[in-house]
Amino acid sequence: MANVLVTGTGREGNLGYCFVLTYLKRGDTVFATVRKPSPPLEKLQEEYPDTLHIITMDQGSTESVRAAAAEVAKHVDCLDTIINNALITSPDYPVHNPLEDCTLDNFEKAFDVSSVGPLRVIQALQPLLYNNPRTAMVANISSGAGCITTCKNDRDFDYCMIKCAMNMSTKILYNKYEAEKKVRVLCMSPGWMRTNAGNAAAPYDPYVHSEKMRKVFESRRESFDGVVFVDHDNNEVPW
């Protein structure tokens, strides 16, 4: 059985929560990180008291991330998989403000949490990844919105730029880890999912989709073929 850490898991029905449930049902040990108490996760922990660990972590804070990593290390000697799913955006994104109406000073916090935050998580937990006897997997949940080649957006600066920055950091990490082949990093474009009422028309169920993506992660774990950005069907996505 595997040891898995998933960030951004507190809301029932979102992708992070669905990843937690997917891995728990396989019998894996799961560390689910949240910024604040999550009644849905606490209820789920009653069903999986021995394999679900809820970890409070603010990935916008290096101190908080390091404390969370120390808590994980109390329970396991290594991690098999990290899924960086946590995301915040500025208040401009949900209303799709054009440039003229954006409050650009609000972008800084969103970038710190959503682009730099995953690097904090990987940095703090890297020793547990290296301790794995096989190749560990780090999956960064990105988006087609982070692709420069296909971009047709004329707004949504923060979200698109956050994901683009995540893609670049993942590629740099791939270059770092490629020679020793101890950690495989991957960007995943998951597609549009029914994760909230506003996405009711989306084609994909997040729970079903999480299992599909899990299989992609496993198929890529030992593959150092230069492919870093893929979709849920394991097809390479342009940068």
Side-chain angles (χ1 to χ4, degrees):
M1 295 295 101
N3 300 323
V4 181
L5 181 137
V6 187
T7 70
T9 63
R11 184 170 59 81
E12 186 173 11
N14 81 346
L15 182 58
Y17 180 93
C18 291
F19 273 126
V20 169
L21 189 56
T22 289
Y23 283 99
L24 286 174
K25 287 188 174 183
R26 287 174 43 81
D28 297 329
T29 296
V30 180
F31 297 90
T33 77
V34 291
R35 286 186 295 156
K36 58 185 180 181
S38 167
L41 274 183
E42 291 165 5
K43 183 176 180 180
L44 190 61
Q45 193 175 45
E46 295 175 3
E47 186 178 351
Y48 297 94
D50 298 324
T51 54
L52 174 56
H53 303 273
I54 302 172
I55 307 290
T56 300
M57 183 183 77
D58 174 7
Q59 65 182 43
S61 162
T62 297
E63 181 181 5
S64 177
V65 173
R66 288 177 177 172
E71 183 64 25
V72 173
K74 292 178 183 178
H75 297 279
V76 294
D77 295 327
C78 70
L79 282 174
D80 295 272
T81 302
I82 293 175
I83 301 175
N84 278 312
N85 173 72
L87 168 78
I88 67 168
T89 55
S90 77
D92 292 290
Y93 174 63
V95 293
H96 306 292
N97 280 342
L99 176 63
E100 294 79 6
D101 297 325
C102 284
T103 305
L104 298 177
D105 288 347
N106 288 338
F107 283 21
E108 182 178 359
K109 179 64 174 178
F111 274 92
D112 188 37
V113 171
S114 304
S115 295
V116 181
L119 283 174
R120 289 191 180 97
V121 172
I122 297 166
Q123 182 186 60
L125 291 165
Q126 183 174 260
L128 292 180
L129 296 171
Y130 278 153
N131 279 349
N132 199 298
R134 60 174 184 158
T135 302
M137 165 62 71
V138 175
N140 290 331
I141 303 303
S142 185
S143 168
C147 175
I148 294 173
T149 303
T150 61
C151 178
K152 291 182 171 56
N153 295 58
D154 63 359
R155 57 196 67 205
D156 299 338
F157 291 92
D158 56 343
Y159 182 75
C160 295
M161 293 167 67
I162 282 166
K163 293 304 187 182
C164 188
M166 171 183 271
N167 293 350
M168 176 57 81
S169 69
T170 308
K171 175 59 175 173
I172 294 171
L173 286 170
Y174 177 89
N175 296 339
K176 166 183 168 56
Y177 294 131
E178 184 178 18
E180 55 196 11
K181 294 179 172 54
K182 286 293 295 176
V183 181
R184 175 60 153 108
V185 290
L186 192 71
C187 286
M188 167 61 67
S189 177
W192 190 27
M193 292 170 289
R194 297 187 293 275
T195 52
N196 55 52
N199 292 334
Y204 303 122
D205 174 270
Y207 177 69
V208 173
H209 227 41
S210 66
E211 170 61 12
K212 190 172 186 179
M213 285 185 275
R214 185 197 67 78
K215 291 178 179 178
V216 174
F217 302 155
E218 291 307 309
S219 73
R220 290 282 178 183
R221 184 181 292 274
E222 304 294 341
S223 172
F224 286 81
D225 56 0
V227 176
V228 178
F229 194 11
V230 299
D231 65 14
H232 51 85
D233 288 320
N234 207 7
N235 298 313
E236 187 172 7
V237 175
W239 296 103

